[in-house]
Amino acid sequence: MAGGLIALLDDVAAIAKLAAASVDDVGVAAARAGTKAAGVVIDDAAVTPGYVVGLAPARELPIIAKIAVGSLRNKLIILLPAALLLSALAPWAITPILMLGGAFLCYEGAEKLLHKLTGDKHTDDAAAIADPAELEARQVSGAIRTDLILSAEIMAIALAELPQQSLWMQGVVLAVVGIAITVAVYGAVALIVKMDDVGLHLVRSGRGVALGRGLLAAMPVLLKLLAWIGTAAMLWVGGGIIVHGLAGFGLAGPEHVIHDAAVAIGGGVGAIEWLVTALGSGLLGLVVGFIVVGALKLLPGKRGH
């Protein structure tokens, strides 16, 4: 009896150690996968504040909450099962799908850059909506659609970092990455969009007037800066995905050129090497984006747009 009890306790201890190791593995894998998706996360955080600009301040946080819930639904209910199905049945398709997503990001970044440089602005149908509830529903729906594309890239990038993991581990890690990124992105967005309210409160209360005025002055600049950062992130992330994808198919020339330039210019300084790598990926992404923009303009019905 005593021997059996000791053996049972040993088994329990072994299971506990295995569970602890699994938790550690999930944490490490999630951190690695999440880091690889950082560029798309920056883009996501930079794009979202634009959806609440011009709406009633009292509705900003509820709108962000709705978008965050929609983002979680995108990641956990739509994209997570699709990613696991893809991993189980057609893992070879992950890289081509990533590259297509990367090309789309390059297209979006190049188109936004063209609009910024030429001053050309799309007419916004949302601006013509008089009903606040309808406008809010329109903005939330648009934000969730955009999030679906960015979330698909995040999940695909994360999945590509887990080729040797079991299917259940991939599912757990993708869920952890999806939840953590959603909380981080929309928490940051909530802070950004309420910055002017905090500044206004400080000014009106008479406490921290200088800080409050600084926040009020910084908000428009920050929104413009985020728009540029979002555009740059689209190009460098999209370009980087294409560069790595080409290397996976045996066309490693662009990757080697960018890596060699980063090493030569950076001289062992990690931050400089990263910056050069991002710049190289961004330039390639810009070329790809312009090609896609040009190709789309040649399609029937697109000329003259």
Side-chain angles (χ1 to χ4, degrees), residues 7-282:
L8 177 60
L9 292 175
D10 285 342
D11 290 341
V12 170
I15 293 172
K17 289 179 181 179
L18 180 60
S22 297
V23 170
D24 288 342
D25 291 342
V26 168
V28 171
R32 185 174 66 246
T35 300
K36 288 291 184 180
V40 185
V41 173
I42 292 171
D43 182 31
D44 205 357
V47 167
T48 305
Y51 286 97
V52 298
V53 172
L55 298 176
R59 295 301 303 160
E60 288 175 345
L61 292 183
I63 289 171
I64 292 170
K66 288 181 180 180
I67 298 172
V69 170
S71 178
L72 280 175
R73 186 166 59 247
N74 285 340
K75 293 182 179 74
L76 301 182
I77 297 178
I78 299 174
L79 297 172
L80 177 56
L84 294 180
L85 191 63
L86 190 67
S87 178
L89 300 181
W92 54 267
I94 295 175
T95 297
I97 290 174
L98 268 175
M99 293 179 71
L100 286 174
F104 177 80
L105 288 176
C106 293
Y107 159 73
E108 286 281 297
E111 190 176 46
K112 288 186 176 184
L113 183 60
L114 282 174
H115 293 153
K116 292 178 189 299
L117 295 178
T118 61
D120 180 27
K121 297 184 182 296
H122 288 301
T123 56
D124 189 358
D125 294 335
I129 298 176
D131 181 13
E134 184 182 352
L135 177 58
E136 179 176 319
R138 169 71 174 269
Q139 294 296 82
V140 170
S141 176
I144 292 174
R145 283 198 303 271
T146 300
D147 175 89
L148 180 62
I149 297 170
L150 295 174
S151 292
E153 283 297 290
I154 289 170
M155 299 297 270
I157 291 170
L159 182 62
E161 290 298 306
L162 308 169
Q164 306 302 323
Q165 303 290 350
S166 63
L167 196 63
W168 80 266
M169 176 68 86
Q170 289 178 344
V172 172
V173 170
L174 289 178
V176 170
V177 168
I179 293 171
I181 284 178
T182 301
V183 171
V185 166
Y186 292 100
V189 169
L191 290 175
I192 290 169
V193 301
K194 300 309 290 184
M195 182 185 297
D196 54 349
D197 289 344
V198 173
L200 187 59
H201 173 73
L202 290 174
V203 171
R204 287 178 174 175
S205 66
R207 293 174 295 180
V209 174
L211 176 59
R213 288 175 177 169
L215 290 175
L216 289 171
M219 187 62 182
V221 177
L222 178 60
L223 288 176
K224 289 181 180 179
L225 181 61
L226 283 174
W228 281 101
I229 291 174
T231 300
M234 283 183 176
L235 293 171
W236 107 60
V237 173
I241 290 171
I242 292 174
V243 167
H244 294 312
L246 289 174
F249 287 114
L251 301 174
E255 187 175 56
H256 289 323
V257 170
I258 293 173
H259 176 266
D260 292 344
V263 172
I265 297 173
V269 180
I272 297 177
E273 290 183 359
W274 178 89
L275 184 61
V276 174
T277 300
L279 180 61
S281 298

